[in-house]
Amino acid sequence: MDKSIAGYELKCATYRAEHVSEDELWSAFAHLFSSQTRMVSSYKYGFLKSIIDNLYNVDEHLTLTFDQLFSKFGEIYWNLILKYELRQQAKRETYLEQIIRNAVAKYHLPDGIPYESLSAEMMIDISHQIKMKCKTNVVGALYGDTKGLFYSFDKRGEWLQINPQMYEFICKHKVTIEKLNYYEWAKFLESVNDDSVVNHLLSKIDESAKRNNLSYYRDILFQEFENRCFYCGKRVTKAHVDVDHFIPWSFIKDDNIWNFVLACPECNRRKSDKLADPKYLDNLIVRNTNLETESYKGMENYRRDRLLKIYSWARKNGYNEIWMPKKKVEEY
Ligand SMILES: [Zn+2]
């Protein structure tokens, strides 16, 4: 990294590929969250969350496109700004706030509308505008503040490639790093917002990219092959079924077709935030092979090996309670 220019000014950069110790990787994050890194808005936290929430959407070279990153970034900020009315900077409105408020006016949207209620065209339009504005500073700033260890990037090519050492490290310590990020982010938001909007602040940050309407996935799974509960085998109907994140949402923080199964409401409630028994992981891999054959949207970056790893990373991150339905109606 050229030390004479600040990270945010870089047009492209390469990660430091030399082997570094875990201590050094931790120190990159300690530096990022320290008061030494300049901070006028909350973008750095939001961009880190966009990467962490996209960890399992990387391709085989651990690359993410700016479209993937900034559509998540846009979703997070849309909800923080409109749904939760959280300012992102002390004195004046940020560019991001302007883009979002302009979109509300342009599309005549009601106050506080959540991101998931927007049409696909609106989402594309908004995340494109956010990408064009924010890619200039945000990508290089986070690169510089993590001592050049996090990723390589190219603003013109609009991609970012995560350092493999860093990728393993973040996957292993995901929950801890996420908590550090939320803590610093919340502290920042508290300093620039009125007391009236900072209640439940950590939940607001955590759920800024959570979608509640999963009917799109329910319809696909139904149509394809599942009219039984993935866990207990009981017959389900469209009116009486839940879409379950196989690896809990609280760990994965993203909606992926390869991680969704249909479950009866009882199993979904009982499984809750737990991991299912490994034999269901095997069943999911078989099920996903079918989805791959049909080349469903969202299966592009699915890897069987990665799903196995995510399951074990979840266990390393504290998801130790393994769940099984009490009785199984019949074999899946
Ligand atoms: Zn069930």
Side-chain angles (χ1 to χ4, degrees), residues 228-236 262-268 323 325 327 329:
R228 288 179 182 277
C229 171
F230 183 75
Y231 301 107
C232 73
K234 198 159 69 189
R235 271 196 185 280
V236 288
L262 295 179
C264 69
E266 195 192 347
C267 283
N268 189 40
W323 176 84
K327 66 169 198 247
V329 174

Side-chain angles (χ1 to χ4, degrees), residues 42-84:
S42 69
Y43 289 172
K44 223 158 32 183
Y45 307 122
F47 194 58
L48 177 58
K49 178 168 169 59
S50 305
I51 297 175
I52 293 179
D53 288 1
N54 265 304
L55 269 188
Y56 314 124
N57 297 324
V58 293
D59 68 8
E60 69 269 36
H61 309 294
L62 306 183
T63 301
L64 291 166
T65 65
F66 283 9
D67 283 329
Q68 286 173 302
L69 290 163
F70 285 103
S71 63
K72 183 64 88 173
F73 190 78
E75 178 170 12
I76 292 167
Y77 278 101
W78 181 279
N79 288 332
L80 289 178
I81 292 167
L82 289 183
K83 197 168 144 194
Y84 302 132

